[in-house]
Amino acid sequence: MARTPGELLTVSRALRVLGAFTEAHPSRGVTELATELGLDKSQVHRMLATLTQHGYTVMDPETRRYALGPALIPLGHRAERSPGLRHRLERHLEDLAARTGESSVVCVPDGYRYRTVAACEGPGLVRYATTVGRSYPGHLGATGHAIFAFDPTVSPADLLRAKGHEPRAEAVAALRERHERVREDGYALSEGEYDERVMAISAPVLLDGSVFGSVSTLGPPEFMRRSADAIVSAVLAAAAEIGTGLRA
C-alpha cells in the first residue's frame, strides 16, 4: 500500500485493524487479521493489546478473539453530533431539497429505532419539518425500512418486539417481505405509515457494504406522487454521493 505524505504508519495500521471488524466479521483473531491485512503477527498483537487497554477493543479470554469495545460508542455519538459531519451532510440535503422541492433528512440506526442527524426543510410553502436528534420506531416508515433492510444484525422480529410485546407471525412475515422488496428495489417508499400527512422516499447510505443510515425526501403525498420517479432518482443519487463523501 502506497504511503501518504505525512502518514504515521503505526496509526494507519491500527485504524486498518479497527476497520477490519465488520458486521460479517464482528470478532477476529490475531493470526487471521495479520494474514488478511498483510501485517506482522506481533505488530497486530501489540496493536490489539493497546486498543484493548483503552477500551477500543475487547478480548474474549476463552477464545482469545477480539471485538470492538465500548470506548467506540461515545466516540460514535460525538461523531454524529459533530458540526463537521452535519455540515457535510447538510450540503447534500440542501441540494436534494432544491432538486425535489421537498424536505430531506439523513437518519442513522439507534438500537431498534432510527434517529435524525441532519435535516433540511423544503423550499415550498407546504413543508415537513423534523427535529435533529429525534428518534422514530424502526418498523415504520421508508426511512427505517431503508436502514434495517440492509442491517443483517437486526431482524424484523427484533424491530416489532421493540414495541413491547411479542409480534404476530404474520406481522413479522409482512415486514420481512417489505425489507426483501426494499433490497431488490434499492429504495423504500411509504405513505402515511408514521404520519398520515407524509410520504417518504428513502435510500440506504452504504459505507464499504455496511449501512451507515438512510437519506430521505419527505413531503405531502398529493405533491410527491406527481413526481415520484424523479424523486426516487434524486434520492438514490444523493445516497451514493453521501456515501462517497463520507469515505473521502
Side-chain angles (χ1 to χ4, degrees), residues 149-213:
F150 293 87
D151 186 346
T153 68
V154 177
S155 71
D158 291 331
L159 296 173
L160 292 168
R161 286 193 191 102
K163 296 166 59 178
H165 53 79
E166 190 63 24
R168 293 174 297 147
E170 55 267 34
V172 175
L175 187 56
R176 183 180 296 114
E177 182 179 336
R178 180 73 177 274
H179 285 180
E180 289 173 355
R181 189 162 64 249
V182 171
R183 286 191 291 272
E184 290 174 3
D185 295 340
Y187 69 92
L189 186 152
S190 66
E191 186 173 327
E193 282 189 27
Y194 182 77
D195 185 325
E196 64 182 9
R197 299 165 297 178
V198 178
M199 179 175 174
I201 295 175
S202 310
V205 175
L206 302 176
L207 296 178
D208 300 321
S210 297
V211 66
F212 164 81

Side-chain angles (χ1 to χ4, degrees), residues 116-127:
T116 303
V117 293
C120 177
E121 289 190 10
L125 294 177
V126 179
R127 62 186 70 173

